[in-house]
Amino acid sequence: MSSSSSFQALGRLLRYARGYRGRIIAATCCSILNKLFDIAPEILIGIAIDVVVNQEQSFVAKLGFVEAREQILVLGVLTFLIWAGESLFEYLYQILWRNLAQRLQSDLRQDAYEHVQRLDMGFFESKSSGQLVSIMNDDVNQLERFLDGGANSLIQVFVTVVAVGAVFMVLSPQIALLAFTPIPIIIWGAFYFQRKAGPVYAEVREKVGELAGRLSNNLGGIATIKSFTAEAREAERLRQSSEAYVEANRKAIRISSAFIPIIRMAILVGFLATFILGGLKTLDGSLNVGAYGVLVFLTQRLLWPLTGLAQVIDLFERAMASTRRILDLLTTPVQVQDGGEGLTAPVKGEVRFEGLSFHYPSSGVGVNDIELTVAAGSTLALVGATGSGKSTLVKLLLRFYQPEQGDIYLDGKSLARLDMQQLRQNIGLVSQDVFLFEGSIRDNIAYGRPEASEEEMVAAARVAEAWEFIERLPQGLDTPVGERGVRLSGGQRQRLSLARALLKDPPVLILDEATSAVDNETEAAIQRSLRKIAHGRTVIMIAHRLSTIVHADSIVVVDQGRIAEQGRHAELLARNGLYAAQWRVQTGEIAPAPERVFA
């Protein structure tokens, strides 16, 4: 990674932070003033030496303070004011930079999260949750650490060089030339280090994401790891990821550690030039003794802080590597755009697929030329083999993906023109893979309608046949469900998911194999619930148990992304096609053909 790319990342960050321009300017001004006050005591020391040596002939005497005692008192007052000014501006710049760091990191994380929520589901197929968490947490924190201290240090190094250089040029241009000789070497070394460190820190950030992804994946699958007694194997895989991160950091440390000793020797050359040449000039009377003292002290003030330039650039490179990842995430294009048009109330729930085609970029599978109409208030069942395209139709209806061809209409309006939030508010989803958020049962049932009353929640739970088990729990609706609902059984989680969808009261309800992973008792309970809630509502069911869909108004068999058959249960049996074959398999009349198993 070149130095230009780091400055490009800085430019992108400044453009993002343009709303903070006033705070950045104020913090920068305080850093500058603090450094000017910080340099001033060295100048006062030189003036004090001049007062002691020359007394009535000193520089201060020319300002109207003739007596030496009076001059010392004036210098004492100035020293107090300078130290007070330095302390005041140090307090101010720390307050400003740290608050800016906190505010900016919070906004970056929030903006990144909100942007990620708008991205289509295809994006999440290419990024692990661990990588995204690493960007929104670790990378944002890395930038915060730079703003907390590194930004001020860079500004103050620049101010030191300019201010001290100006004093040197006034007192002795010849010594200034020699004292400043190491600075080009130091700057060249800093940029050389930056060029070397850039790609290394980019690799460090990448390894952090991989490590976070491994941890997230393993902790989420801890039950599977235990059941397969794979603890040792997973610990070894984590160790390898951790070692890769350590090795990436080792390279960065090796580069940054070499910088300081080299710069230290360059600094020594500048200091010796001032010390020796200035001393000789003072001895032959061509340089005032007080000016010599100022030059010696300011040389150290100028050069020794540059040894910390390596750490500052180290922070800068880490921060810019993180900034690139954050801003790249923020600029990831949203493929599924919000149409913004509202639905006409009341929503009836007629769904129409016209010439719909879509294929997943990673696998190429999908659906082709789907023509299908679901009448408002009717129940449609989608059946077919795994990977045939059933769930893809549901995801397209929810606008998780953008169709390649064709369109979907809700009550005659193209989904592409609709306000996405309003569209999804009118569609309820009960999935096979139930996701419950950490919190209480109450929180999860009311997730779609946080303002719902307890009576409405209880009513939804009763219809979903969940109230019976909720009522038996010691804390009732306030019972914690644990992370992803681990404290509840699969059947209980499924019933809560149904209650959550019912409380939302959507005109269109999607059941994506909602009974495939539950026991017979729970399935029977859910089926009873469905008979209650289907009235006056459009229901789209994906099912592999054909016994659960025999009463559907329409059954569509999807095969290899296309509609193979369509009709009611009796009609499809009479047709003696794919549906009839699978019915015979599930009722035990015939052994299944592997490529025609519905799931």
Side-chain angles (χ1 to χ4, degrees):
M1 201 74 64
S2 67
S3 58
S4 62
S5 65
S6 294
F7 288 115
Q8 286 171 3
L10 179 60
R12 291 174 66 191
L13 178 63
L14 290 174
R15 286 192 294 274
Y16 171 83
R18 57 184 175 272
Y20 300 97
R21 193 165 295 163
R23 299 189 198 184
I24 294 172
I25 292 172
T28 301
C29 289
C30 288
S31 293
I32 292 171
L33 290 169
N34 169 259
K35 180 49 62 177
L36 293 176
F37 277 110
D38 182 51
I39 293 170
E42 274 68 28
I43 298 175
L44 288 181
I45 291 173
I47 295 174
I49 294 172
D50 179 49
V51 167
V52 171
V53 173
N54 296 315
Q55 298 187 20
E56 284 80 6
Q57 304 301 318
S58 70
F59 169 76
V60 179
K62 297 175 183 177
L63 299 177
F65 303 98
V66 179
E67 292 186 6
R69 291 172 181 258
E70 188 181 16
Q71 294 174 28
I72 293 296
L73 289 174
V74 168
L75 291 178
V77 171
L78 285 174
T79 300
F80 173 81
L81 293 175
I82 287 169
W83 279 68
E86 180 188 357
S87 300
L88 172 63
F89 287 110
E90 182 172 0
Y91 170 77
L92 291 176
Y93 84 63
Q94 291 208 38
I95 289 288
L96 290 168
W97 281 119
R98 289 182 177 181
N99 284 336
L100 175 65
Q102 291 299 316
R103 187 71 267 155
L104 192 57
Q105 63 94 12
S106 176
D107 286 352
L108 269 172
R109 184 180 292 112
Q110 188 69 29
D111 288 348
Y113 174 73
E114 290 180 7
H115 182 73
V116 165
Q117 286 192 131
R118 292 192 294 270
L119 296 174
D120 63 284
M121 296 303 292
F123 170 81
F124 297 94
E125 294 175 1
S126 62
K127 294 280 187 181
S128 72
S129 59
Q131 286 177 316
L132 294 175
V133 169
S134 173
I135 291 172
M136 287 186 274
N137 188 49
D138 193 61
D139 282 330
V140 170
N141 289 341
Q142 189 68 53
L143 178 59
E144 179 200 353
R145 284 191 283 272
F146 170 71
L147 291 174
D148 263 347
N152 171 72
S153 297
L154 277 178
I155 291 167
Q156 292 202 336
V157 165
F158 176 77
V159 172
T160 300
V161 171
V162 172
V164 172
V167 174
F168 265 63
M169 291 303 294
V170 169
L171 295 179
S172 176
Q174 184 182 7
I175 295 178
L177 182 65
L178 291 173
F180 275 69
T181 298
I183 290 182
I185 299 172
I186 294 170
I187 293 174
W188 172 85
F191 280 104
Y192 177 79
F193 164 74
Q194 188 185 51
R195 286 195 300 273
K196 291 288 186 180
V200 176
Y201 285 127
E203 183 183 0
V204 168
R205 303 318 313 150
E206 190 65 31
K207 296 303 180 185
V208 167
E210 292 175 8
L211 182 59
R214 173 71 62 194
L215 283 167
S216 175
N217 189 60
N218 283 16
L219 291 174
I222 194 68
T224 303
I225 292 172
K226 286 178 175 292
S227 66
F228 283 90
T229 62
E231 291 93 339
R233 186 165 69 251
E234 291 301 333
E236 175 59 23
R237 292 172 71 183
L238 180 64
R239 189 193 67 77
Q240 290 175 3
S241 295
S242 184
E243 282 299 316
Y245 174 54
V246 169
E247 180 58 31
N249 260 310
R250 185 179 292 121
K251 294 177 185 176
I253 292 168
R254 188 163 55 242
I255 292 171
S256 62
S257 297
F259 181 71
I260 293 178
I262 295 171
I263 298 305
R264 189 180 292 273
M265 295 310 296
I267 288 170
L268 179 61
V269 172
F271 179 75
L272 287 176
T274 305
F275 184 79
I276 295 172
L277 182 61
L280 292 175
K281 280 180 166 292
T282 304
L283 290 174
D284 66 21
S286 60
L287 182 67
N288 183 283
V289 66
Y292 175 58
V294 169
L295 291 176
V296 170
F297 285 120
L298 284 184
T299 302
Q300 293 191 74
R301 177 64 70 182
L302 168 69
L303 297 176
W304 287 113
L306 293 177
T307 59
L309 198 58
Q311 285 89 348
V312 175
I313 293 178
D314 184 84
L315 270 178
F316 176 74
E317 278 299 332
R318 289 178 184 267
M320 291 307 103
S322 294
T323 297
R324 279 189 293 272
R325 281 162 51 96
I326 299 163
L327 296 180
D328 285 348
L329 178 60
L330 272 170
T331 53
T332 302
V334 178
Q335 302 294 341
V336 183
Q337 296 292 334
D338 195 322
E341 188 175 317
L343 279 163
T344 303
V347 177
K348 298 175 183 177
E350 182 197 61
V351 178
R352 189 169 80 253
F353 300 86
E354 283 192 3
L356 191 70
S357 296
F358 170 80
H359 300 87
Y360 296 100
S362 57
S363 63
V365 301
V367 292
N368 300 282
D369 198 26
I370 299 295
E371 296 280 349
L372 180 62
T373 299
V374 188
S378 67
T379 297
L380 168 73
L382 296 171
V383 298
T386 299
S388 61
K390 308 182 301 296
S391 294
T392 300
L393 291 176
V394 167
K395 292 173 182 176
L396 290 169
L397 177 57
L398 285 162
R399 296 213 70 205
F400 289 166
Y401 298 93
Q402 183 70 23
E404 296 164 3
Q405 292 180 351
D407 210 341
I408 308 175
Y409 298 87
L410 177 60
D411 287 356
K413 288 191 174 183
S414 168
L415 300 192
R417 290 163 43 199
L418 294 178
D419 177 85
M420 204 167 322
Q421 185 174 10
Q422 190 175 1
L423 167 69
R424 290 172 182 167
Q425 283 173 344
N426 284 280
I427 300 176
L429 174 65
V430 181
S431 177
Q432 173 186 4
D433 183 20
V434 176
F435 189 96
L436 296 182
F437 293 90
E438 189 168 10
S440 67
I441 289 176
R442 182 192 306 275
D443 296 334
N444 278 278
I445 292 178
Y447 191 74
R449 277 185 61 204
E451 76 283 359
S453 66
E454 184 165 326
E455 290 74 19
E456 290 175 309
M457 283 185 266
V458 172
R462 287 187 189 279
V463 175
E465 301 215 11
W467 182 246
E468 184 179 348
F469 86 80
I470 294 173
E471 206 172 20
R472 290 199 303 266
L473 295 171
Q475 295 174 265
L477 285 170
D478 295 314
T479 301
V481 301
E483 187 176 5
R484 296 181 65 93
V486 293
R487 297 185 183 180
L488 303 177
S489 69
Q492 290 172 333
R493 292 197 295 270
Q494 196 65 267
R495 294 188 204 190
L496 284 186
S497 176
L498 184 57
R500 178 168 61 187
L502 292 177
L503 184 63
K504 187 180 176 182
D505 194 25
V508 179
L509 180 63
I510 298 172
L511 304 168
D512 189 355
E513 300 192 16
T515 62
S516 64
V518 298
D519 54 57
N520 291 333
E521 180 186 350
T522 301
E523 181 184 358
I526 292 175
Q527 290 302 323
R528 289 194 299 270
S529 301
L530 293 179
R531 284 193 288 273
K532 297 177 187 176
I533 65 177
H535 180 69
R537 193 190 311 268
T538 303
V539 179
I540 299 176
M541 302 174 62
I542 296 176
H544 74 278
R545 296 182 190 175
L546 302 186
S547 59
T548 64
I549 57 153
V550 294
H551 300 296
D553 297 308
S554 179
I555 300 171
V556 170
V557 180
V558 185
D559 184 45
Q560 297 180 10
R562 298 182 182 275
I563 295 177
E565 296 176 350
Q566 183 174 0
R568 296 180 69 89
H569 174 70
E571 295 170 352
L572 293 175
L573 288 181
R575 193 173 297 172
N576 200 29
L578 291 174
Y579 182 85
Q582 186 60 23
W583 177 262
R584 289 193 293 271
V585 169
Q586 292 195 7
T587 54
E589 296 179 29
I590 190 171
E595 70 276 10
R596 295 302 191 204
V597 173
F598 290 179

